[in-house]
Amino acid sequence: MQSLATLYLVILPLVLAAALIEGIWQSRTRAEAYDWKSWACSIADLAGRRLLAFIPYTLAAPWLDWMYEYRLFTQSLDSVWSVLLLFVGLEFFYYWFHRASHTVRWFWSSHSVHHSPNQFNFAAAYRLGWIGRFTGTSLFFAPLVLLGFTPQTVLTALFLNLLYQFWIHADWIPRLGWLEYVLNTPSAHRVHHARNPEYLDANFGGVLIVFDRLFGTYVAEREAVKCDFGLVSPVVSSHNPLVLNFGPWIELAKDLASAKSMREAWMYLFGPPGWRADGAGLTTTEIRRAHAVPAE
């Protein structure tokens, strides 16, 4: 994994510099104050994630090496078809990983950190949380290992996919014409990060937006509905990375302790975020129903 670590160290200063420059520019040109506390929180989240990087993927996801031993094929990146398979395959599995991260509470408990900023900017792009790699998310990408790509190749491709998504965390880049039909753009990703009832649980793609269109989760940004960023609950996000990373898991543990049946425990773990046993929850379906928004 040395090459991935080296690539990370090369890219990291550029990403941090871009976010800082954007923050300075916006703080001087906008009436709304730039949230420097949120920026600092994202930096702290990134620092914590780097400290956890000493735990090798072989411990966080030991099944990847095992699956590679029993791979069906051996892929070579010297082949155009293998590169294309890796790109499209990663996009497909990333779509389902990302969709599950919003619709399954177990995964949302770690992914919610990324959606916690109340402003949408470059700094939000690298607030990815500390616990996600330990929740089994790599299983979504295991089929690529079975198809013959080494775990390092898959993880490097995933890193490049996330790197592409850095620039789309911007509220100042306009819609990009015909590219909106193919790529995940800033406009599409603004919708993804918005908590408006009209925009919830949409646009899960990484580089491409085509799987959202194929599977019915694409929602276009509308001029009449300005994106309101942040979590549905709490509306005002904490600036404490410890609260953001561990708070959702503490709440999950409390709900599990209150479960009166195996079904309730299962729903608290793997049901949609916001599900409550008494029906008074804040799932996407319930929020849309309360605001008379048609289901997608």
Side-chain angles (χ1 to χ4, degrees):
M1 301 301 290
Q2 186 61 39
S3 60
L4 180 56
T6 301
L7 179 62
Y8 192 96
L9 291 176
V10 171
I11 295 298
L12 183 59
L14 301 176
V15 166
L16 292 175
L20 179 59
I21 292 170
E22 181 196 48
I24 294 172
W25 166 60
Q26 291 187 350
S27 66
R28 294 183 176 181
T29 59
R30 292 188 172 186
E32 179 187 14
Y34 186 84
D35 192 345
W36 287 107
K37 288 184 178 180
S38 181
W39 174 86
C41 181
S42 294
I43 294 289
D45 181 84
L46 175 62
R49 196 164 62 257
R50 293 310 302 153
L51 287 175
L52 290 171
F54 75 90
I55 301 176
Y57 84 92
T58 49
L59 291 179
W63 43 80
L64 293 182
D65 281 338
W66 179 82
M67 288 183 173
Y68 188 69
E69 290 183 15
Y70 294 94
R71 64 190 181 275
L72 302 176
F73 312 97
T74 298
Q75 302 292 341
S76 170
L77 295 183
D78 295 335
S79 165
V80 173
W81 294 110
S82 287
V83 173
L84 186 62
L85 175 63
L86 176 62
F87 174 70
V88 176
L90 185 76
E91 281 295 310
F92 177 78
F93 294 119
Y94 180 86
Y95 169 85
W96 288 108
F97 147 73
H98 201 181
R99 185 167 176 172
S101 295
H102 281 255
T103 57
V104 177
R105 187 178 179 184
W106 173 262
F107 298 119
W108 174 250
S109 293
S110 59
H111 186 62
S112 61
V113 178
H114 182 59
H115 285 261
S116 60
N118 291 114
Q119 291 182 349
F120 188 64
N121 47 43
F122 287 159
Y126 50 75
R127 188 188 295 193
L128 298 174
W130 301 339
I131 302 175
R133 67 189 301 216
F134 306 108
T135 61
T137 54
S138 61
L139 286 171
F140 286 92
F141 306 98
L144 291 171
V145 177
L146 287 175
L147 287 174
F149 295 103
T150 67
Q152 180 176 359
T153 297
V154 174
L155 294 174
T156 301
L158 179 59
F159 171 78
L160 293 174
N161 188 295
L162 294 173
L163 179 60
Y164 167 87
Q165 294 182 53
F166 172 76
W167 77 279
I168 63 177
H169 288 79
D171 65 357
W172 50 271
I173 299 177
R175 289 178 59 84
L176 300 178
W178 65 268
L179 291 176
E180 301 289 342
Y181 291 94
V182 182
L183 297 178
N184 189 13
T185 64
S187 176
H189 209 56
R190 286 193 289 270
V191 167
H192 176 72
H193 272 261
R195 60 185 169 200
N196 311 61
E198 299 89 342
Y199 292 153
L200 288 175
D201 290 352
N203 302 355
F204 298 112
V207 174
L208 303 177
I209 205 69
V210 293
F211 290 115
D212 285 283
R213 293 182 177 276
L214 284 173
F215 296 116
T217 52
Y218 175 74
V219 176
E221 185 178 23
R222 293 155 51 188
E223 290 186 11
V225 183
K226 188 178 186 302
C227 291
D228 180 24
F229 301 112
L231 299 171
V232 170
S233 179
V235 174
V236 178
S237 178
S238 171
H239 291 132
N240 186 333
L242 294 173
V243 172
L244 294 177
N245 278 280
F246 297 111
W249 293 100
I250 293 172
E251 292 302 314
L252 175 57
K254 290 179 179 178
D255 285 338
L256 285 174
S258 72
K260 295 180 175 59
S261 66
M262 290 297 295
R263 177 185 178 277
E264 284 188 13
W266 174 270
M267 290 299 294
Y268 280 131
L269 277 171
F270 303 114
W275 183 87
R276 307 299 304 174
D278 60 5
L282 285 175
T283 68
T284 294
T285 299
E286 290 162 344
I287 291 171
R288 285 180 169 159
R289 184 184 301 122
H291 290 81
V293 176
E296 294 298 327

